């Protein structure tokens, strides 16, 4: 019986795990996958739009398209980089502060107190980030590099979207499947119940041997009362007879 009990418990745990997975699949199909798919579609549209914006604001051949910082349009790289660093000094925390625009994107700066550095955000439909250093011209290179990463980001998001579709399809195949060991669990559980009933019947039908022996060995009070009382002897005790003779 012990082995059967262990086996039934194991199957019940497996069934509970199966049901838990089914609930997760249902939740993913209802919420997770639709939300993530729509979000990634939005990323793709945003990146494609930003790539069009960037293409519409190219650098001239061997030149600089210019940067707007705090209302001033600067066409010299050195001056633009210096003005950007000067604007960063006004930023004290993590709340983005708009400092200008560049190649069709609004520029916002935040200060990372932990890293002790300024972060630049270029915002179109999407946000493109880069850390700023102490070199004015070097910062412009960093900004252009961040913007040039859009095609790679777009491809990465497309791969993620494709993976989501595949995961969604796999979940649809699995959801609703019955527990594969349901019949085995039913048979073994029924046998376990049957054994328990037999054990209970046996335990009720047999009295405890020591209790039976104890009951037989105990003297009956009623029998003691029924026994005849022996007559009292009329003979006097020897000592009493001796005193009377005197």
């Amino acid at each position: 019986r012990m082995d059967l009990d262990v086996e039934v418990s194991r199957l019940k745990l497996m069934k509970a795990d199966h049901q838990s997975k089914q609930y997760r699949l249902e939740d993913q199909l209802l919420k997770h996958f639709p939300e993530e798919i729509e979000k990634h579609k939005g990323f793709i549209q945003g990146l494609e739009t930003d790539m069009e914006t960037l293409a519409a604001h190219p650098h001239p051949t061997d030149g600089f398209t210019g940067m707007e910082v705090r209302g001033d349009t600067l066409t010299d790289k050195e001056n633009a980089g210096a003005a950007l660093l000067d604007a960063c000094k006004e930023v004290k925390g993590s709340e983005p502060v708009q400092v200008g625009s560049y190649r069709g994107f609004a520029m916002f700066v935040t200060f990372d107190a932990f890293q002790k550095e300024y972060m630049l955000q270029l915002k179109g439909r999407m946000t493109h980030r880069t850390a700023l250093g102490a070199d004015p011209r070097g910062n412009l290179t960093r900004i252009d590099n961040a913007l040039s990463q859009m095609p790679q980001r777009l491809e990465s998001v497309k791969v993620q979207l494709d993976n989501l579709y595949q995961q969604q399809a796999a979940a649809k195949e699995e959801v609703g499947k019955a527990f594969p060991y349901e019949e085995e669990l039913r048979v073994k559980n029924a046998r376990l119940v049957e054994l328990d009933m037999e054990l209970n019947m046996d335990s009720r039908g047999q009295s405890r041997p020591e209790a039976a022996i104890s009951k037989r060995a105990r003297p009956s009070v009623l029998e003691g009362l029924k026994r005849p009382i022996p007559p009292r002897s009329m003979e006097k005790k020897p000592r009493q007879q001796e005193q009377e003779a005197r």
Side-chain angles (χ1 to χ4, degrees), residues 32-46:
H32 174 72
F33 288 123
E35 291 175 359
E36 287 297 309
I37 286 171
E38 287 305 311
K39 184 171 72 175
H40 281 69
K41 284 181 177 179
F43 290 162
I44 290 173
Q45 293 175 356

Side-chain angles (χ1 to χ4, degrees), residues 102-246:
Y102 180 64
R103 299 186 69 181
F105 297 90
M107 294 193 304
F108 292 80
V109 174
T110 63
F111 179 67
D112 188 334
F114 182 75
Q115 297 291 339
K116 303 296 183 183
E117 66 180 2
Y118 292 100
M119 295 293 298
L120 182 73
Q121 301 176 1
L122 297 119
K123 293 188 177 183
R125 284 282 302 276
M126 302 289 288
T127 299
H128 315 275
R129 297 176 175 84
T130 186
L132 296 176
D135 181 15
R137 293 178 66 92
N139 284 334
L140 297 181
T141 301
R142 292 186 183 195
I143 294 170
D144 282 331
N145 288 340
L147 293 173
S148 68
Q149 293 297 313
M150 278 191 274
Q152 290 89 330
R153 290 178 63 189
L154 177 61
E155 288 304 312
S156 176
V157 174
K158 286 181 177 180
V159 170
Q160 293 173 20
L161 179 61
D162 185 57
N163 288 337
L164 284 169
Y165 279 128
Q166 293 180 24
Q167 293 170 19
Q168 184 184 48
K172 287 180 179 179
E173 289 290 327
E174 291 297 320
V175 73
K177 284 188 176 181
F179 179 52
Y181 304 101
E182 184 66 43
E183 181 61 18
E184 181 182 354
L185 174 59
R186 186 191 66 79
V187 171
K188 290 184 176 180
N189 191 57
R191 178 56 182 159
L192 184 62
V193 171
E194 183 181 343
L195 288 175
D196 285 341
M197 291 177 63
E198 291 176 358
L199 289 172
N200 289 335
M201 290 177 64
D202 290 344
S203 64
R204 286 197 299 268
Q206 295 179 355
S207 60
R208 293 168 56 193
E210 60 272 16
I213 294 172
S214 176
K215 186 175 181 180
R216 287 196 300 270
R218 189 185 307 137
S220 172
V221 176
L222 185 59
E223 289 179 1
L225 292 174
K226 290 180 179 179
R227 291 175 187 161
I229 301 174
R232 296 180 62 182
S233 175
M234 299 301 295
E235 296 181 358
K236 297 180 179 179
K237 294 180 180 180
R239 184 176 180 81
Q240 186 178 0
Q241 291 176 355
E242 183 181 349
Q243 290 177 352
E244 290 177 355
R246 290 179 184 176

Side-chain angles (χ1 to χ4, degrees), residues 64 66-70 72-89 99 101-102 107 109 118 120 132-143:
F64 177 59
M67 176 180 286
E68 184 265 314
V69 180
R70 293 188 293 190
D72 295 330
T73 300
L74 305 164
T75 57
D76 179 75
K77 275 190 173 184
E78 194 71 34
N79 291 339
L84 178 59
L85 283 177
D86 189 57
C88 288
K89 296 176 182 178
V99 295
S101 62
Y102 180 64
M107 294 193 304
V109 174
Y118 292 100
L120 182 73
L132 296 176
D135 181 15
R137 293 178 66 92
N139 284 334
L140 297 181
T141 301
R142 292 186 183 195
I143 294 170

